[in-house]
Amino acid sequence: MFLGLDCSTQSLSALIIDAREGSILSEVSVNFENDLPHYQTSSGFVHGDLPGEIFSDPLMWVEALDLLLTRLVESGADLSTIEAISGSGQQHATVYLNDRFNATLENLQSASCLKDQLAPCLSRPLSPIWMDSSTAQECEEIASAIGGNDELCRRTGSTATQRFSGAQIRRFSKLSPKAWQDTAHVHLNSSFLASLLAGKSVSIDYGDGAGMNLMNLKSGDWDEEIVNITAEGLADKLPALKPSSTIAGNISPYFVEKYQFNPEAKVALWSGDNPCSLVGMGAASPGKMVISLGTSYTLFAAMNQPVTDPSGFGHVFGNPCGGFMSLICFSEGALALEKLRSELDITWNEFSDAAMSQEQSPIRSLLDKQFLNMKARGEWMGQSPGTIYVTGGASKNQGICQTIANIFESNVQRMSTSSSAGLGASMRAAHATGDFSLDDLEKKFTVPDSESTIAPDPEAVKIYQNL
Ligand code: XUL
């Protein structure tokens, strides 16, 4: 049995798989806003005082971990059967810890809770998360110091990006120099939570590490020059970078005593949610493309080589199964659909019917623009996938899937899982033990919805080719 945890913006979830049988045994979740109301978040985050600032409280994630494991045990899950654990974290969020972090993790007391023991270790009470856009100035400073965005993108896979950790770290070091001095470790959401499980400060993996504007894609190590430009003293505060399949160690005695884990259970490094989704969607080997139609749309695919986007919109991250992956984020894609639907005062079924027709309408026009734009923005990846896997709320909509098939000239297939990041994390845990091949895990767990294949319509394809 393998446990995958997923710390998203809104919730912390657990998924247990039986990798031999190919079944999902338990799924439990803690919703930050509803289950931990004392953090006063809306959907798991709070706005800061300054424009663009968006934070989460790392202690909320810590408290959620105890609550989640309590719920798992209450639901009847036998945690002594878990052989390995891994996890998926919302990308880019940074956690700032002082020099008490390691000693605290080594001496965790199961009679107390994680939150009370970790509270004195934070050198910054809040974590800026991926929704934060307060760092335009820091992005400019970093890019110009390294010789421009093209150079930064060539080395790290992305131009200077406001939500990425590098710019966030620089801003903190400038605005709070004293607290920056007290910071001994800068972790990501993913590596922070993995550290709690392993009872020591663990490495950052290539998948999530590449979302920091600090990792050199070619060497797989921190880019010394960029690290030094980003913030004074940062080099000493960053954990090492390691492949995502690294086993960090055995689970901390805290979890053995409190939740009856097997003391031999392994903790594999966590990764970012998009890299984990790549695995959970069965797309970790090149040739498949995933379009996730959540609140914001994302387009991602595995790549053998770190090809970068010359126009600077796309990103390159580490693929947790080796090689690289591309990612392009389209902000608020599904929100635009919802706005149009409510303005037209129609149901989703009526929306889908209009989307199936090639006749001009505001719906046709919006969808065409969204997905022609997506296709154009993704061209640098040089992929012509035979199949595009779709997931997320709007993927239920037949008209939207047909539009994607027509524009990309590919078959579109819906995936049944709604928790691809958590599933990917549990598959990664199984894969990291060396007992299961990726192929075997994909065949067992990443099966498209039966009869969900949507083929391109040749007449519509012709129209789009002209566009
Ligand atoms: C990716 C990104 C988001 C977060 C969501 O770059 O910012 O997809 O990972 O959790």
Side-chain angles (χ1 to χ4, degrees):
M1 308 308 154
F2 298 91
L3 171 61
L5 301 174
D6 173 26
C7 187
S8 74
T9 316
Q10 293 161 18
S11 56
L12 179 70
S13 312
L15 191 142
I16 298 178
I17 58 169
D18 181 335
R20 288 170 190 88
E21 290 295 318
S23 53
I24 295 178
L25 302 179
S26 313
E27 281 189 84
V28 175
S29 194
V30 169
N31 179 284
F32 298 138
E33 181 180 336
N34 300 331
D35 293 325
L36 299 170
H38 42 286
Y39 291 95
Q40 299 184 331
T41 70
S42 134
S43 303
F45 62 86
V46 293
H47 288 270
D49 294 335
L50 299 172
E53 285 184 342
I54 300 201
F55 297 108
S56 276
D57 190 330
L59 291 180
M60 177 177 79
W61 302 329
V62 172
E63 188 172 348
L65 182 58
D66 265 330
L67 180 57
L68 182 78
L69 295 174
T70 304
R71 284 189 178 169
L72 256 187
V73 171
E74 280 169 6
S75 76
D78 177 0
L79 299 184
S80 71
T81 62
I82 302 293
E83 293 155 68
I85 309 168
S86 190
S88 154
Q90 53 167 295
Q91 292 201 255
H92 318 301
T94 35
V95 183
Y96 301 78
L97 300 138
N98 59 30
D99 58 8
R100 295 158 81 168
F101 185 49
N102 257 324
T104 301
L105 290 181
E106 276 163 25
N107 295 299
L108 285 175
Q109 301 299 312
S110 58
S112 169
C113 64
L114 285 172
K115 180 193 150 199
D116 289 350
Q117 297 178 79
L118 266 302
C121 299
L122 290 172
S123 55
R124 182 184 194 180
L126 295 175
S127 285
I129 67 161
W130 65 279
M131 299 163 81
D132 186 292
S133 58
S134 63
T135 60
Q137 194 186 330
E138 287 72 21
C139 284
E140 266 182 51
E141 290 165 357
I142 293 169
S144 81
I146 200 69
N149 262 318
D150 288 352
E151 180 60 12
L152 191 64
C153 186
R154 195 184 64 74
R155 292 201 206 180
T156 69
S158 301
T159 55
T161 305
Q162 295 206 28
R163 67 186 188 284
F164 277 35
S165 319
Q168 296 291 342
I169 292 167
R170 179 172 178 80
R171 182 173 148 91
F172 177 58
S173 73
K174 280 165 51 185
L175 294 187
S176 309
K178 169 76 182 67
W180 175 243
Q181 232 175 20
D182 289 345
T183 301
H185 313 266
V186 178
H187 269 289
L188 293 177
N189 166 291
S190 57
S191 57
F192 171 61
L193 291 170
S195 298
L196 300 191
L197 291 172
K200 60 181 180 195
S201 180
V202 306
S203 301
I204 290 180
D205 86 300
Y206 293 158
D208 221 9
M212 300 176 78
N213 266 152
L214 294 171
M215 182 182 118
N216 189 302
L217 288 179
K218 299 235 165 66
S219 68
D221 212 338
W222 301 118
D223 188 300
E224 229 180 274
E225 201 184 347
I226 302 175
V227 167
N228 290 336
I229 282 167
T230 297
E232 205 189 315
L234 175 58
D236 297 332
K237 305 178 201 273
L238 286 170
L241 279 161
K242 293 266 171 67
S244 316
S245 56
T246 306
I247 299 282
N250 287 355
I251 193 161
S252 151
Y254 174 90
F255 299 95
V256 176
E257 286 158 26
K258 203 156 185 164
Y259 304 107
Q260 287 75 55
F261 277 95
N262 181 337
E264 294 298 313
K266 306 291 175 224
V267 178
L269 293 186
W270 285 38
S271 190
D273 51 2
N274 294 296
C276 287
S277 280
L278 185 79
V279 180
M281 291 290 288
S285 33
K288 302 167 188 171
M289 193 183 261
V290 179
I291 297 179
S292 168
L293 299 168
T295 311
S296 290
Y297 297 160
T298 50
L299 169 74
F300 51 87
M303 302 191 295
N304 285 327
Q305 295 302 322
V307 189
T308 52
D309 179 2
S311 66
F313 289 102
H315 306 291
V316 179
F317 299 142
N319 174 343
C321 296
F324 302 88
M325 68 177 283
S326 55
L327 176 122
I328 316 177
C329 213
F330 299 86
S331 288
E332 310 195 341
L335 282 189
L337 302 185
E338 168 53 24
K339 184 155 188 283
L340 179 61
R341 188 199 62 80
S342 79
E343 270 172 18
L344 297 173
D345 197 17
I346 57 172
T347 65
W348 278 117
N349 280 343
E350 288 164 333
F351 189 99
S352 186
D353 288 347
M356 287 299 284
S357 150
Q358 278 308 119
E359 265 181 43
Q360 272 314 307
S361 67
I363 293 170
R364 177 76 281 127
S365 169
L366 173 62
L367 291 177
D368 288 353
K369 281 179 188 143
Q370 282 194 334
F371 293 104
L372 283 167
N373 177 50
M374 188 181 270
K375 186 176 184 201
R377 297 273 180 226
E379 235 132 52
W380 62 274
M381 288 155 43
Q383 309 247 1
S384 39
T387 305
I388 296 177
Y389 294 106
V390 292
T391 184
S395 69
K396 309 256 175 323
N397 193 300
Q398 189 76 5
I400 294 176
C401 292
Q402 185 66 59
T403 305
I404 295 173
N406 296 344
I407 288 180
F408 283 83
E409 299 173 44
S410 294
N411 285 336
V412 166
Q413 212 144 47
R414 262 184 222 119
M415 297 299 280
S416 44
T417 178
S418 55
S419 36
S420 55
L423 177 61
S426 64
M427 289 166 65
R428 287 184 43 246
H431 189 230
T433 60
D435 295 339
F436 299 89
S437 73
L438 182 65
D439 211 37
D440 176 29
L441 293 165
E442 282 188 349
K443 281 197 187 100
K444 283 175 175 153
F445 291 103
T446 62
V447 191
D449 273 356
S450 56
E451 292 167 29
S452 75
T453 307
I454 297 155
D457 164 8
E459 287 307 308
V461 166
K462 272 190 224 145
I463 300 174
Y464 288 121
Q465 281 172 344
N466 289 331
L467 286 173

